[in-house]
Amino acid sequence: MTDARNLPSRDLSEKRLKQRHAAEARFKLYGQLAIVIALGFLVVLLARVVQQGYTVFWTHSITTSVYLDPARIDRADLEGNNFDYLAAQNLLKRLKVQDDALGLASGEAMDLVSRDLGYRILGAIKDDPKVIGTTLTFTVPVKANADLYYKGEIERSTPETDRKLSNRQLDWLDRLEAEGLVRSHFNSDFFTNSDSTEPEQAGVLGAVVGSALMLLVAAFIAVPVGVLAAVWLEEFAPRGRLSGFIEVNINNLAAVPSIVYGLLGLVLFINWLGFPRSAPLTGGLVLALMSLPTIIIATRAALKAVPPSIREAALGMGASRTQTVFHHVLPQAAPGVMTGIILSLAHALGETAPLLMIGMVAFTPGLPESLASAASVLPVQVFIWENAAEAAFHERTAGAIIVLLVFMILMNATAVILRRRFEKRW
Amino acid sequence: MSFTLAFALLLAFSVGVWWLGRRRASALAGGERLHSLPGYYGTWVALWTGIPAALILLLFLTAGPRLGEALIAADPPAAVASLPSETAQAFWNDAQSLARGEPTTAIQWTPEQRAALEQKAEQARQYNGFSAFAALALAGVLALGGFLLAWPRISPTLRARNQVEGWINIALMACSAIAVLTTIGIVASLLYEAMRFFASVPPLDFLFGLQWQPQIAMREDQVAAKGAFGAVPLFAGTFLVMIVAMCVAAPVGLFCAIYLSEYAGRTTRGVIKPLLEILAGVPTVVYGFFAALTVGPLFRGFFNWIGSWLAEGPLDPLGQYLMAVQNEMALTAGVVMGIMLIPYISSLSDDIINAVPQSLRDGSYAMGATKSETVKRVILPAALPGVMGAMLLAISRAVGETMIVTMAAGSQARITANPLDSVTTVTRQMVELLTGDQEFDSPRTLAAFGLGLTLFGVTLVLNIIALRIVQKYRQAYD
Amino acid sequence: MQQHIVTSYEEELNHLTAEVARMGGLAEAQVADAVNAFARRDVALAAQIVERDVRLDALELEIERAAIRLIALRQPMAVDLRRTVAAMKIASNLERCGDLAKNIAKRSLVLAETDPAGPVTRSIERMGKLVSSRLKDVLDAYTSSELEAATSVWTRDDEVDEHYESLFRELLTYMMGDPRTITPGAHLLFVAKNLERIGDHATNIAEIVHYEITGEDLPDQRPKGETLT
Amino acid sequence: MQQHIVTSYEEELNHLTAEVARMGGLAEAQVADAVNAFARRDVALAAQIVERDVRLDALELEIERAAIRLIALRQPMAVDLRRTVAAMKIASNLERCGDLAKNIAKRSLVLAETDPAGPVTRSIERMGKLVSSRLKDVLDAYTSSELEAATSVWTRDDEVDEHYESLFRELLTYMMGDPRTITPGAHLLFVAKNLERIGDHATNIAEIVHYEITGEDLPDQRPKGETLT
Amino acid sequence: MAAEGNPLPHDTQLRPPAVAAHTPVANAGVKIHCQGVSAFYGDKQALHDISIDIPDRAVTAFIGPSGCGKSTFLRCINRMNDTIPGARVTGRIEIDGEDVNARSVDPVVLRSRVGMVFQKPNPFPKSIFENVAYGPRIHGLANGKAELEAIVEASLKKAGLWDEVSDRLHQSGSSLSGGQQQRLVIARAIAVQPRVILMDEPCSALDPIATARIEELIDELRRQYCIVIVTHSMAQAARVSQRTAFFHLGQLVEQGSTEDIFTNPREKRTQDYITGRFG
Amino acid sequence: MAAEGNPLPHDTQLRPPAVAAHTPVANAGVKIHCQGVSAFYGDKQALHDISIDIPDRAVTAFIGPSGCGKSTFLRCINRMNDTIPGARVTGRIEIDGEDVNARSVDPVVLRSRVGMVFQKPNPFPKSIFENVAYGPRIHGLANGKAELEAIVEASLKKAGLWDEVSDRLHQSGSSLSGGQQQRLVIARAIAVQPRVILMDEPCSALDPIATARIEELIDELRRQYCIVIVTHSMAQAARVSQRTAFFHLGQLVEQGSTEDIFTNPREKRTQDYITGRFG
Ligand SMILES: Nc1ncnc2c1ncn2[C@@H]1O[C@H](COP(=O)(O)OP(=O)(O)OP(=O)(O)O)[C@@H](O)[C@H]1O
Ligand SMILES: Nc1ncnc2c1ncn2[C@@H]1O[C@H](COP(=O)(O)OP(=O)(O)OP(=O)(O)O)[C@@H](O)[C@H]1O
Ligand SMILES: [Mg+2]
Ligand SMILES: [Mg+2]
Ligand SMILES: O=P([O-])([O-])[O-]
C-alpha cells in the first residue's frame, strides 16, 4: 500500500467511473425506450380503432314522403309488394328525375335508402289499411354507402369504377342534402339493433346481450367452483403427490390455448352431451372451464398472500380449519380474489377462438330468447364484421371494438381500483 | 316447474329445520356444555334434511328424461322399426315433444306412424308423470326421514361442527375435482376424435408430412392422399410467427419490467402499469383487426415502396419480390402478436424481479454499485430462471394464439423462414377446418382434432418446463 | 427515580436494600448492646449478643447471594448495579461490625469476672456511644440515600481515632499502675480497638454510599485516622 | 474450561484474575516483609512497607471497578459471575491484609526504639511465617483453581488461632514481668492480633475460592478459631 | 362493570373430575407432564425423548441454541404440530393428567385450553374488540352482547391494555404499536380462559421497552396461569421465569430453578451455553 | 499467498491531501464529523440537529428506543437515504474532513468507502467467491484474476470466514448458516477497502452463538476500521463498543465512552433507558 499506487489507480477509477455512469444512463434509456414502444403501440392501436370507428356513432337519415298508390299495391299479398321500389320512384319524382324504361334509375335510387323503408311502409299499412292512397312521410336511415359518402369516406375524386356509388347517385345525394331532406344525428340504431345483413341496420345489441348472458353463465359456474377449489387446494388438501398433481394440472390448464377449450366444448358439450350450438349456455360453459384455472390460481395467490401468522393465530385460538379459513383467511383475501375474478372474466369477455369452435359464427339477427337459443357475442361479432365484404362493415367493426374495449376497460379499472383500495402491506 | 317448486320447498324446509335445530341446541346449552355452537347443530340437521333429497331431485332431473327415453324406446312400434335411423330419431324426439306439449318437427308422419306417435307420447307422458311424482315423493321421504333421523341425535356430545365441516370439505374437494375433470375431458375428447382422424391418416404422415392440403380430402371418393395432411408446414408457420413475436416482445417486455420495478417512481409506475394492463386486456380479436386493417397494409405499403425503389436497379429481383408482398404475412402476425405479448412478459418478469428481496438491492447499493450494475449483476442473475420461465410461457401462448393469425397470417401452408411470406399456422387451420359445415366423419373436420391434440401436447410440454422453472426459482426466496 | 417497567425487578432491588437496612439495624443494635453490656457488666446481655451474631452472618450470606442472583438474572446497569454491589459490600462491612461487637461482648464476659475499671470503662463507653451513633448515622444516610449525611460521617472519622488514641494511652497508664490489671487491660485495649474498627467500618460504609449515589469515589486524602496506637 | 466465543471477554476475565493474583503477590510480600522487618527490627524495610501500601489500595479499587465494569458490559453468568464477584471480594480481603501488614510495620518502627523482646519476638515471627505461608497457599489455590488446596487452608485455620492464643498468654506474662514492657507489650499484642486477622483473611479467601469453583458455600461449622483472647 | 373474570362461564372439559388416581404427576403443582416425548419431521428427529414436568402458576422458560427444538416442543403441547405435514409426535404429554394426544381429545378444544402467543404479534385484521371477542364467540363462551363485552374488558384488563385502548376498541388491531399488539394477542388468548399459555419468542420482534412491558405482563399473569416461554435471550429467561429448561440438539439437557441454572448449572453444556462458550 | 491487503490498490478520493486547515475536527482520531444533521421523511423530521464525532479505529454504538432515528442517522452517513423517495438530509457530515453531501461527491464512490451491513444477512444469490469479488469487480480494484483471488482471500480471512469456507468458495452464499452469511456480508464490505463500516442491527436476526461470533469479529475489525453499529441490545452495545451514543425521539441525548454510559451516565434519560425505567 504505497503512495506510489495512489495516483494511477485514482485516474483509472475516475475513468472507470465515467464509463460506469455512461453505462447507467444507457441502460436507463433502454428501459424508457421499451416503455415508450409499449405505450406507443397502445396509443396507435387505440387511435386506429377510434379513428376507424368513431364515425359509426352518427349516421344520416333521409325524410321522404311516399304516395301509397292504391293501384300499385296488391292488397291480397301485402308482403309481396315491393315498397322499396315504390319509395324509390317517389324519391326520383321528388328529384324530378325521369326513370328509364328498365327502371335502372329507380334501382339506383333504391340503393340510397335503407331497406327499412319498405318494412316501415308495410308496417304502416298493416296497422291501418286505410292509409293506402294517402301520402305518408318517413324518416329512415340512408343506405350505408350513402352514409359513407356523407361522412366523406367515399369521395367523388375516386374514379367512378372504383367506388360503390355512381356519379348520378352522388348527384342525387348532393341534391337531397341541399334540399334539407338529409339530416345527420346520433346513431342510436347501432345500440338498439342486432346484427343484420344490411350494414346500416346492423347493431351491437344482440351481441352485447349475448355476451352478457354468456358471461353470467360463466361467472355463475366458474366463480364459486374456482374459489372453493382454490380454498380446498390451498387450505385443506393434504400436501402430497395428489395435490402436487392437481397443482401442476391447474397451472397447465391455465396455459392451454383457448382454442383447445373450443374443441373440448365442441366435442364434449355439443357432440356428446347434446347442448345447443351457438348458445350462450354452451359458450358460457366453455368460458367457465377456461377461466376456472385462472380464477383458481388468482384465488390461491390471494390466499397465499394472507400471512401464515393469521392462520396460526386462529388455529392457536382453537378455531377449526374451516373456521380459520372462512372467518379470517378468505375475507382477508377477498379483494385479491375479486380482482382475479374480474380480470379473468374480462379476459373471457374478449375471448373469440373457442366460441368459433362451438359455432358462434352463425349469423344471428335479433336477441337471444333463452340461454339455449342461438346468440352472437361481441368479439365474434367483431370477427364476423371484419370478414364481411362491405366497406361499411369495417366502420361497424371498429365501432363494436370500441364498445368491447369500453366494457373491458371498465372491468379492468374496477379491478385496479379494488386492488388499490385494499392493497395491504403485511 | 314442479321441480323448481320442489327445490324451493326443500330449501324452505331446510331453513326451518336449521332454525329448529339451532333452537334445540341452544336450549340444551343451558344444562351441559355443547360440543359446538348451536348454529352448527342447526346446519347439521339441515344438511341431513336437504342434501339427500336435493341429490335425488338432481338425479331425476338429469338422468330421468334419458331413462324415460330409453324405457319407451325399449319396444319400438312396428311403424318405426322400418324407418331409417335419422327419421327414427326424429320420431322419438317428436314423441317426447308431444308428451311435453311442445311443437313437433315438420315431418309429416303417416297415419299409423301418427298413431304410434300418439301412443308413445302417452307412454312418455305417463312415465314423466310417474317419474316426477316418484322423484318428488322420494325427495319428500328423504327430507323428512333425514330430519327425523338426525333430530333425536342432537345432544351436547354430538360433534356437529366436525360433521358439518366434513360436508364442507367434501364440497370443496368436488370443486377441485372439476379442474382435474376438465383436463381429462380435454384429453379424452381430443384423443377420441383424433383417433378417428388417425384411423384414416397415419399419425406419422400427419406429424412429418410436408404437404398440407386438406381440401383434397373433401372429395369422398379420394381417400386422404398421402401428404395432404402433413402438419409440418403449419408448425413451421407457427414457429416463424412465434419467433417474430418473441423478437418484439422479449426485449421490450423485459426492459419494461426492469424500468418499472427499478427506475420508475411510484407515480410513474402507478400510471404506466394500468396502461400496460390495458394492453394486456385488449381482446385478441382486436389485435387481429389491428393487424389485418392497420399493420398489414402499413407493412405492405412500406415493403412495396422499398420494392418500387429497388426495382429495375441492381437488386431488381428483390425489388420485384418486395413489390409483390401482400397484407397477410408472418411479419404482420408476428409483430402484432409481439405487441400482445409485451404486457404478458413484462408483468410476469415484473413479478419475478419484485420477488428479488429488497435486501439484495440494498446490499448492492451499499457496495457502491450503480442501478444498472445492480440490475445486471444481482437482480437479473437472481431472477434469470424465472424470466426464462416467463419467456417460455409467452412462447406457449404465442403458439396457441388464434385470432391474430386467423385474421392476419394467411392461409398458404408453406415451410419458409422469410417473415414477409404469407404462412399459415396450426390454430388458423383449426379455425378454418371447423367453421362452416362440420361433418364429423370427414377427415377434413377431424384433422382439426389431430392438430388440436398436437398443439395441446406441445404447449403442455412447454408449460410444464416453464412452470417447473418458475416454481423452483420462486422457492429460492421462500 | 422512576420505577422500573418490570415491577418485580424494582421489588427485588428494594428488597435487597431493605435487607441491608435490616441488617444495619441489627448490627447497630449489636454494637449498642455490646457497649451497654460492657459498661453495665451485663453478662446475660453479652451472652445474648454472642448468640445473636449468627443472624448477622446468615443475613450477610443471604444479601450476597441475593445480589449475585440479581446480577445474574436482571443484568443491572449503572445506578442499579452500583446499588447491588454496594449492598453486597455494606453487608460485608456490617458483618464485620457484628463480629467486632460479638468480640466486645465476649471480652465483657471475661471482664465481668475481674474488678471494674471505673473511669477507663466510662471512657470506653463514651467511645462506644460515639461509634454507635456514627454507625446509625451512616445507615440512615444509606436508607435515605442522603449524600451529605454520608460524607459527614466520613469526614468525622478522625474524632473516633482521637478518642481511641487517648484511650490507648489511658489504658497503658492504667495497666502500668497495677500488674494485676494487665490481663483485663489487654482485653480493654482490644475492646477499644474493636470500637475503633467499627468506626472504620462506618466510614467504609459512608464511602460505599457515596459511590452508590454518585458513581464516583471519595477523594483519596481522607482525614486518615489510622494510627500506630 | 472452554474459551469464550468473544475472546475480549475471555481476556477481560483473565485480566481480572491476573490482577487479583498480582495483588495477592503484593499482599503476600507485604505480610512477609512486615514479619521480617518486625523480627529483624529493620526500620528501613518497615518504612518501605508503609509506603508501598497505597499500591494495594489502588489495586483494590482498580479490581473492584474492573469487576463492576465487567458485570455492566459483559453480563457474566454462572461461573464467570462467581469469578468476578470472587475477584472483588478477594481484593477487599487482600487490601485488609495489606493494611494489617502496614500496621505491623508501623508498630515495628515503634518497637525498634524499645528493647528487643527476645523469645516473644521469635514466637511472633514464627506465627508470622505460618500466616504468610497460609496466605501464599490460598493464593496459589486461587490462581490454579485448586479446590483441595483452598479447603486445606480453610481447615487448618485453627492452627493460627492456637498459635495466637499461646502468644497472647506469653505476652501477658511478658508484660507482667516488667511494667516498662507494657507499652511495647501492647504493640506486640496488636502485632499478634494482626497476624491472626491475616490468617482469618486467608481463610476467608479460601472460602471465596471454594464458592467460586463450586458455586456452593463451605459448611457453617468451620473449625472456628476466633477466641476472646 | 362486572368483576374481572366473573361473568366467564367455566368449563372443565380438559380437567379431570378430581386428581385422578392414575395421574403420574410428581407433585401437586404440576400442570403439564411430559414423558418420553419425541418429535419427527419426516425422517428427521427433532426431539429426543423429552421428559419434563411443568408447574402451574409459574413461568417456565425454554432456552437453547437455534434449531434445538424449543419451538417444536412448545407446539407439541397444543398440537400445533398437527398442522405441519409430515410432523409426528410420540410419547405422552398430559395436561392436568389428560393425554393431549388421546383420540378423544379434539385439538380444537385443546387449543382453546392452551393459548399460544407467537414471535411476531399477529392480531387479526379486525377491530381490537373483535380480536378479543373472536375466541369467546367461536367457543360460545358468552350469552349475549353484555357478557361478551365483559369478557373483552376483563381480558384486556388482565393483559394491561385496557387503559390504553378502552376509548378506541373499534379501531383496527393493526393500528397499535408492536408491543401493544403483542399484549392484544395475549388478551385474545386469555379471553378463552386457557389453562396454559405458550409463548414462542414473544418479544423477539419488540424493542427493549415493549419487551420490558411484556415481561412485566408475564410476571403478572403467572399468578393465574401456567406459562411456558421460549426465548433466545438468556437474560429474558433469567428475568421472567421461575424454572428454566435448556435444550440442545433436540435433547433436554438440564432443567431446574432459574436461579440454579443461571448461577450454578449442573451440566457442563448448560454452563457453556449460558456463559457464551459454545460451539 | 499474497500478504493480506497488500495487492489492494489504495486511493484517496475521500481523504484530504493532508490534514486540511479548515477541517473542524476535534482531535486527530476523529473519522466522521457530524454537525447539526437533521433528516426528514417528507414533512416528518426524523433527526434533530445531531452533532457527533465518531473516532477511527473504534466501535461506536448507537442505542435508543425503536424509531428514535438510529438507522436514519446511519444511512445519512453513506447516503443510503438518497434511495428513499422523500428523504432529505441537512447539516454537515464529514468523513476524513470531506463533506459527504457535497456536489462533488459521487454517492457510488462514497458507498464504496463506507461499507454497510444490514440487519438480515443478505448475501447475493451467487457463489461465496462471487459475493466477495462483486465489489472489487464493479469498482475495478483488481487487475486480473490472481489479484481478485488475493482480495477475496484477504477479505474472507479478515472476516474470520476463510477457514470455514476456503474449500467451498464456489458454493452458493445462501448455503451458509445465518451467522456465516453475516460474516460473508462483512467480508464483502471489507473487500472494497472501506474506511468506515456501518452496521444496522447486524445480529438481531442471529442466535446468541452466531451473535457472539460476530461480536468477536467486530472486536477484531475495530483495530483497522471505524465501525458504527446500531443495536437494540444494550448488552451488545456495552460489549462491543468503545463509545456509545444514545438517541431518543430523533435527538442525540448523550454520547461518551461506553463505560461511562453504562456505569454512570450523565443524563437522566440515558440512565432511565439503560436501567429499564422508560416510558
Ligand atoms: N416444518 C419443519 N419441517 C422440517 N424440519 C423442521 C420443521 N420445523 C423445524 N424443523 C427442524 O426441527 C429442528 C427443531 O426446530 P425448532 O423450530 O423447534 O427449533 P427452535 O429451537 O425453535 O429454533 P429457533 O430458536 O431457531 O426458533 C430444527 O433442526 C429444524 O430444522
Ligand atoms: N422510509 C420512511 N418513510 C417515512 N418515515 C420513516 C421512514 N423510515 C423511517 N421513518 C421514520 O423515521 C423515524 C426514525 O426511524 P429509524 O428507522 O431511523 O428508527 P430506528 O431508531 O432505526 O428504529 P428501529 O430501532 O426500530 O430500527 C421513525 O419515526 C420512523 O417512523
Ligand atoms: Mg423457534
Ligand atoms: Mg432501525
Ligand atoms: O479484619 P478487620 O476487622 O481488621 O477489618
Side-chain angles (χ1 to χ4, degrees), chain C residues 93 96-97 99-100 193-194 197-198 200-201 204, chain D residues 92-93 95-97 99-100 193-194 197-198 200-201 204:
Chain C
N93 272 290
R96 273 307 291 154
C97 288
D99 277 358
L100 293 165
K193 182 68 193 172
N194 284 349
R197 285 297 301 144
I198 293 176
D200 279 355
H201 284 297
N204 282 352
Chain D
S92 114
N93 272 291
E95 193 264 349
R96 273 308 290 154
C97 289
D99 277 357
L100 294 165
K193 181 72 192 172
N194 285 351
R197 286 296 303 144
I198 293 174
D200 280 356
H201 284 296
N204 283 352

Side-chain angles (χ1 to χ4, degrees), chain C residues 130-187:
Chain C
L130 180 68
V131 168
S132 279
S133 83
R134 283 283 188 285
L135 191 58
K136 187 178 175 313
D137 288 352
V138 78
L139 287 170
D140 287 350
Y142 172 70
T143 42
S144 59
S145 289
E146 272 173 26
L147 190 59
E148 271 161 41
T151 356
S152 105
V153 171
W154 180 73
T155 42
R156 284 179 299 149
D157 182 52
D158 46 357
E159 274 178 42
V160 177
D161 289 346
E162 274 160 29
H163 233 289
Y164 169 68
E165 239 160 284
S166 74
L167 244 178
F168 185 73
R169 257 172 279 282
E170 200 179 331
L171 274 169
L172 288 190
T173 323
Y174 168 68
M175 282 155 83
M176 280 180 216
D178 182 354
R180 278 168 312 165
T181 60
I182 283 182
T183 305
H187 283 297

Side-chain angles (χ1 to χ4, degrees), chain C residues 4-12 65-66 68-75, chain E residues 208-209 212-213 215-216 219-220 222-223 235-236 238-240 258-259 262-263:
Chain C
H4 280 93
I5 297 171
V6 182
T7 42
S8 57
Y9 179 16
E10 191 76 33
E11 277 162 20
E12 273 174 45
R65 290 299 172 270
I68 289 178
R69 204 184 59 212
L70 193 87
I71 292 173
L73 303 192
R74 303 278 179 191
Q75 282 87 32
Chain E
I209 296 161
R213 283 204 195 295
E215 288 177 3
E216 168 76 3
D219 209 65
E220 292 268 303
R222 93 178 135 89
R223 281 155 235 260
Q236 183 172 66
R239 281 192 299 262
V240 300
T258 301
E259 191 180 333
F262 281 98
T263 56

Side-chain angles (χ1 to χ4, degrees), chain A residues 113-128:
Chain A
V113 181
S114 166
R115 287 281 149 93
D116 198 24
L117 183 56
Y119 294 109
R120 298 271 294 276
I121 297 171
L122 177 66
I125 295 173
K126 273 185 171 170
D127 280 351
D128 181 11

Side-chain angles (χ1 to χ4, degrees), chain B residues 209-449:
Chain B
L210 301 180
Q211 286 287 320
W212 178 261
Q213 274 158 340
Q215 50 278 24
I216 295 172
M218 272 181 82
R219 302 216 295 276
E220 286 282 337
D221 49 321
Q222 267 183 350
V223 178
K226 266 202 162 87
F229 285 99
V232 172
L234 306 188
F235 283 97
T238 305
F239 188 73
L240 180 61
V241 172
M242 181 272 284
I243 291 289
V244 174
M246 289 308 288
C247 285
V248 174
V252 178
L254 188 56
F255 269 102
C256 277
I258 290 172
Y259 185 82
L260 282 182
S261 59
E262 302 300 318
Y263 285 94
R266 266 166 57 106
T267 39
T268 323
R269 199 180 150 86
V271 172
I272 293 178
K273 266 208 98 155
L275 287 179
L276 282 183
E277 271 164 20
I278 291 181
L279 203 54
V282 170
T284 50
V285 69
V286 177
Y287 281 111
F289 171 79
F290 181 59
L293 291 187
T294 304
V295 179
L298 191 76
F299 281 177
R300 175 188 162 183
F302 175 71
F303 288 114
N304 289 356
W305 174 72
I306 291 185
S308 65
W309 195 67
L310 287 179
E312 286 158 24
L315 291 173
D316 185 55
L318 181 62
Q320 293 300 334
Y321 171 77
L322 286 180
M323 276 172 73
V325 161
Q326 291 299 306
N327 271 350
E328 296 192 330
M329 57 175 144
L331 188 66
T332 310
V335 166
V336 174
M337 197 185 283
I339 298 173
M340 183 199 83
L341 292 177
I342 288 173
Y344 191 68
I345 290 182
S346 90
S347 80
L348 272 176
S349 310
D350 193 31
D351 282 354
I352 288 154
I353 289 173
N354 273 332
V356 176
Q358 179 65 28
S359 65
L360 286 186
R361 292 185 182 87
D362 279 351
S364 179
Y365 294 145
M367 299 286 301
T370 61
K371 257 187 182 159
S372 60
E373 283 163 347
T374 305
V375 169
K376 281 185 279 194
R377 288 168 179 259
V378 177
I379 295 173
L380 277 187
L384 191 65
V387 172
M388 291 308 294
M391 297 292 172
L392 277 185
L393 280 180
I395 289 176
S396 153
R397 234 183 116 162
V399 167
E401 173 48 42
T402 311
M403 293 318 292
I404 295 175
V405 288
T406 302
M407 293 161 85
S411 53
Q412 279 102 314
R414 64 161 78 121
I415 303 174
T416 171
N418 180 359
L420 301 187
D421 277 348
S422 161
V423 295
T424 194
T425 68
V426 176
T427 49
R428 153 123 215 201
Q429 285 306 309
M430 286 165 68
V431 171
E432 216 154 78
L433 297 176
L434 281 181
T435 46
D437 289 330
Q438 297 162 6
E439 299 155 64
F440 265 81
D441 25 23
S442 101
R444 175 184 143 85
T445 307
L446 292 178
F449 293 93

Side-chain angles (χ1 to χ4, degrees), chain E residues 41 44 46 64-73 84 200-201 230 232:
Chain E
Y41 291 109
K44 195 182 162 229
S66 200
C68 65
K70 306 178 295 291
S71 305
T72 303
F73 186 52
I84 297 173
D200 195 350
E201 304 186 29
V230 166
H232 257 152

